[in-house]
Amino acid sequence: MSLRTKSKILVFFLALVCYLALTSFTDYQEIIAGIAAALIVTLLAGGLLLQTEGKKNLFKRSLKAVEYMFRFLWEMTKANLHVAYLVLHPNLPIKPGIVKIKSSLKNESAITVLANSITLTPGTLTIDYNEKTGELYIHWIDVKSVDEKKDTEIIGAKFENLLKEVFE
Amino acid sequence: MKIIRWFAGLVVILAFLYMNFFYLEIELIVRLINVILFCSLFVLFRVIVGPSPADRIVAVDILGVLIIGLLALTSLWNDQSFFLDVGLIWALMSFIASLAFSKILEGRPLDD
Amino acid sequence: MIENIGMGFIILGILFDFFGVLGLVRLPDVYNRLQAATKCVTFGSAGILFGTFLMKGFTSFGFKALLGIAFIFLTSPVAAHVIARASHRSGIPLAKETTIDRYKEDNEGEK
């Protein structure tokens, strides 16, 4: 089975489940309408979801993904408390700057998830990604060091190791 | 000067919170909706005053996310789920609008 | 009981919404505003939607709320990233407290 067919089947079932969950079906007509809508979606955009061949060990990878989600939620709560502290302080104790970190991830989806996670964790915001060198430019609200290795250690390392196991 | 402005803001916010939570006699969920409307006043302040175009784009983007929360509360208040449909579409449109605005800001054509 | 927990999530969400919007007004330049506002308002709206989901359970109402959570978690960081890059490339200055700007140093040759 080719990658494109797999992707189309996955998209079809996802669209069907979404449709049925949104309409709270009570009748068989709803299911027929859902299948029709899911078919249209599959024909239009079916092949876009999966781009690279999946690896083995799906169960272990999903466990890692769940662990990643919990760590992400914890970091996000910390980020919000940090912003609340900054905003309520009368003197605004900020020291912003743009630093550069290096990422060893190669997979495109992994890079996207890493950049989004960095945006939602304490004090950091991804600005740009350089494909050739694998460097991420990050706006940091409270610069602790300007050394590239140290910054990578502080900002990126906590997500990067987990993401490597999830995606690669 | 900074401290004076901080205190002025504090006084305004405390006055609003007193009016909302202790003076008016309305349901709890309407009080919460009032808080979100007060927040969107701040966002509109940034849209009007914002010194650079990027500030205005940021404010419009944030308003889109804020509105989803407002519509969720409204749908709870009326017990009608179609407000959430409106919220989902609103989020979609505001996301695409942010992308288009920032492309224009960057100076590239839209079909790049 | 579950209704009270849902209401707790909603109140928490509104609190963080308020902090985020306060950050949008108080912080000095575009990038800092974007940080505060994106984090707090995303978390706050997700909290409100999660409270709605808890109060309504597994009905179509609840699933719409869950879909909304997934949606804002996917789109809001991307929008923040795009706006930050566009405003840096169009030359909007950073605040005067800024200590270092690696992006400008590396991209001076390209312009």
Side-chain angles (χ1 to χ4, degrees):
Chain A
M1 197 188 290
S2 76
L3 189 64
R4 212 175 151 75
T5 329
K6 254 190 218 167
S7 162
K8 281 193 174 175
I9 292 171
L10 192 60
V11 168
F12 177 77
F13 279 104
L14 275 181
L16 191 60
V17 167
C18 271
Y19 188 93
L20 292 181
L22 286 184
T23 48
S24 68
F25 59 101
T26 50
D27 205 354
Y28 69 93
Q29 290 173 347
E30 292 275 7
I31 301 178
I32 294 174
I35 289 175
L39 270 181
I40 294 174
V41 171
T42 311
L43 288 180
L44 282 179
L48 300 179
L49 185 61
L50 294 181
Q51 297 284 355
T52 50
E53 190 67 50
K55 303 287 191 305
K56 300 285 178 272
N57 258 333
L58 195 63
F59 180 70
K60 208 173 169 188
R61 280 168 62 208
S62 353
L63 272 187
K64 285 287 174 193
V66 171
E67 187 191 340
Y68 171 76
M69 252 170 67
F70 276 106
R71 181 175 296 185
F72 171 67
L73 279 180
W74 168 240
E75 290 289 331
M76 197 165 170
T77 318
K78 269 199 321 201
N80 281 284
L81 292 177
H82 177 236
V83 172
Y85 164 72
L86 280 186
V87 164
L88 292 180
H89 201 285
N91 286 331
L92 283 180
I94 59 172
K95 190 178 143 200
I98 295 179
V99 297
K100 188 164 71 170
I101 71 168
K102 203 168 180 63
S103 159
S104 56
L105 296 171
K106 291 284 180 292
N107 193 324
E108 274 187 10
S109 350
I111 286 285
T112 313
V113 175
L114 177 68
N116 284 0
S117 317
I118 285 175
T119 299
L120 291 176
T121 47
T124 48
L125 170 81
T126 317
I127 288 187
D128 204 354
Y129 171 58
N130 191 340
E131 276 176 41
K132 284 171 206 149
T133 52
E135 284 161 341
L136 288 153
Y137 294 94
I138 290 185
H139 182 267
W140 202 354
I141 209 167
D142 188 15
V143 177
K144 294 199 181 72
S145 80
V146 294
D147 183 43
E148 193 177 320
K149 284 210 178 90
K150 227 175 185 175
D151 291 343
T152 311
E153 200 67 17
I154 297 174
I155 298 174
K158 55 194 170 197
F159 293 123
E160 221 175 321
N161 297 332
L162 262 177
L163 278 179
K164 208 175 263 177
E165 289 181 38
V166 174
F167 282 97
E168 283 167 16
Chain B
M1 190 59 206
K2 229 173 182 176
I3 293 289
I4 295 172
R5 273 168 63 191
W6 189 75
F7 268 110
L10 195 68
V11 166
V12 170
I13 291 167
L14 284 184
F16 166 75
L17 288 181
Y18 174 73
M19 279 293 281
N20 193 19
F21 284 99
F22 299 105
Y23 185 71
L24 296 174
E25 290 181 354
I26 40 181
E27 290 176 57
L28 176 64
I29 205 146
V30 183
R31 292 175 206 253
L32 297 180
I33 289 177
N34 280 346
V35 177
I36 290 198
L37 289 176
F38 186 64
C39 289
S40 50
L41 273 186
F42 279 102
V43 179
L44 286 180
F45 167 79
R46 186 48 75 194
V47 171
I48 295 167
V49 172
S52 67
D55 288 307
R56 301 198 168 103
I57 297 174
V58 173
V60 170
D61 181 45
I62 292 308
L63 188 64
V65 185
L66 205 62
I67 290 290
I68 306 176
L70 176 65
L71 283 167
L73 283 181
T74 318
S75 71
L76 272 184
W77 182 37
N78 289 325
D79 208 8
Q80 292 285 332
S81 71
F82 67 84
F83 284 105
L84 274 173
D85 296 341
V86 180
L88 290 179
I89 305 297
W90 189 303
L92 192 85
M93 297 312 278
S94 103
F95 173 59
I96 293 174
S98 313
L99 292 191
F101 280 144
S102 37
K103 268 202 166 177
I104 293 173
L105 185 67
E106 207 169 332
R108 288 191 293 169
L110 282 181
D111 54 353
D112 188 10
Chain C
M1 182 61 200
I2 196 87
E3 299 231 322
N4 288 339
I5 297 176
M7 197 45 103
F9 268 100
I10 289 178
I11 291 173
L12 198 72
I14 287 176
L15 198 68
F16 280 119
D17 264 2
F18 188 70
F19 288 148
V21 170
L22 216 56
L24 187 69
V25 174
R26 284 198 69 200
L27 289 171
D29 73 338
V30 181
Y31 310 94
N32 295 319
R33 281 173 196 151
L34 203 50
Q35 285 213 15
T38 304
K39 274 172 208 133
C40 276
V41 177
T42 306
F43 191 72
S45 287
I48 295 173
L49 285 169
F50 190 69
T52 312
F53 168 69
L54 283 184
M55 285 172 90
K56 290 296 171 182
F58 288 94
T59 56
S60 72
F61 207 135
F63 277 116
K64 274 173 197 168
L66 277 189
L67 198 66
I69 293 178
F71 199 79
I72 59 174
F73 266 108
L74 285 179
T75 59
S76 131
V78 177
H81 158 88
V82 168
I83 294 172
R85 199 181 68 164
S87 50
H88 199 288
R89 288 204 178 169
S90 69
I92 289 167
L94 283 88
K96 60 178 185 299
E97 292 97 340
T98 305
T99 49
I100 181 170
D101 190 354
R102 277 281 159 78
Y103 192 49
K104 199 174 174 187
E105 287 167 19
D106 285 5
N107 281 352
E108 262 175 1
E110 288 179 21
K111 275 180 191 171

